[in-house]
């Protein structure tokens, strides 16, 4: 299996399915905001991930089959750059599908504890990542945590209360695409599209998937879901963005 075929089988079909199933796909004022927010998150993901992933390959943390990709820009396969954009779109459309069946919370009280608590947890994980970077077996996991934790901590510091009051939506929107991508990633590794260094990983696995890969998809989907939710919440003006199905 090539990396392009992986996209055609595992990534593009659910994106198309979710796009077609959107109630009046991203229509109306809310829809324009939804589309722009999704494009913004995808662009930020592309920009923020590009140097990090180039470093991973340069450091030999992960490898790709040279006969499985079209070509590379820098150290990274072209298909990998495409994935930087496709994953946020996949996860974002799933979030929007859930929003179509979700009502706004009845109470939106400010909670300093949620903001500070969430920020502290992610800051602590970032520090743990720095500790892991000092050890060969912790390089990949450390790089993931050091890369993702500052943004996640900032998201909670700014909007932790907004995320916490929507915790059921937030968790469902994150975990479903994460589980799907775990399965897809496990198949891709088994097919030899890419491989993970044994030197720079812990050797721990979750359902046969390296714990580092499982962590990567979890934190990146947290970044996408939390980023989109906060954009939508804070961009509300005179009309609520998070609408019920009949209003979407």
């Amino acid at each position: 299996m090539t990396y392009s075929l992986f996209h055609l089988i595992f990534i593009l079909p659910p994106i198309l399915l979710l796009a077609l199933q959107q109630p009046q796909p991203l229509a109306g004022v809310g829809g324009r905001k939804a589309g722009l927010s999704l494009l913004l998150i995808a662009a930020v993901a592309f920009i923020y991930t590009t140097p990090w992933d180039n470093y991973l390959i340069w450091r030999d943390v992960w490898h790709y089959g040279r006969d499985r990709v079209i070509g590379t820009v820098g150290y990274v396969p072209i298909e990998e750059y495409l994935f930087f954009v496709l994953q946020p779109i996949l996860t974002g459309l799933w979030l929007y599908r859930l929003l179509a069946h979700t009502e706004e919370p009845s109470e939106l009280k400010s909670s300093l504890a949620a903001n500070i608590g969430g920020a502290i947890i992610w800051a602590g994980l970032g520090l743990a990542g720095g500790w892991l970077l000092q050890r060969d077996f912790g390089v990949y996991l450390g790089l993931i945590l050091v890369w993702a934790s500052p943004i996640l901590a900032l998201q909670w510091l700014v909007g932790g209360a907004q995320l916490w009051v929507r915790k059921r939506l937030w968790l469902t929107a994150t975990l479903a695409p994460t589980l799907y991508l775990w399965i897809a990633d496990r198949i891709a590794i088994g097919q030899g599209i890419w491989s993970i260094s044994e030197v720079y990983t812990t050797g721990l696995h979750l359902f046969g998937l390296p714990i580092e890969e499982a962590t990567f998809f979890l934190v990146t989907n947290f970044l996408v879901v939390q980023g989109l939710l906060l954009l939508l919440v804070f961009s509300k003006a005179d009309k609520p963005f998070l609408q019920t199905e009949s209003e979407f």
Side-chain angles (χ1 to χ4, degrees), residues 226-242:
Q226 293 178 180
L228 278 173
L229 277 175
L230 294 177
L231 278 175
L232 304 186
V233 167
F234 293 134
S235 68
K236 288 189 301 180
D238 57 330
K239 182 177 181 180
F241 179 87
L242 306 182

Side-chain angles (χ1 to χ4, degrees), residues 53-109:
D53 208 26
N54 271 274
Y55 178 77
L56 287 181
I57 298 178
W58 174 81
R59 184 75 183 270
D60 291 327
V61 172
W62 76 274
H63 317 271
Y64 59 89
R66 294 187 179 276
D67 59 338
R68 309 299 181 91
V69 301
I70 297 172
T72 61
V73 176
Y75 294 95
V76 174
I78 293 170
E79 297 90 336
E80 179 82 350
Y81 287 113
L82 183 60
F83 187 73
F84 297 165
V85 175
L86 292 179
Q87 183 188 346
I89 292 174
L90 172 62
T91 301
L93 288 175
W94 170 248
L95 170 63
Y96 289 164
R97 180 64 181 171
L98 295 178
L99 285 174
H101 302 277
T102 301
E103 294 184 359
E104 275 278 57
S106 57
E107 295 184 8
L108 293 174
K109 296 181 180 179

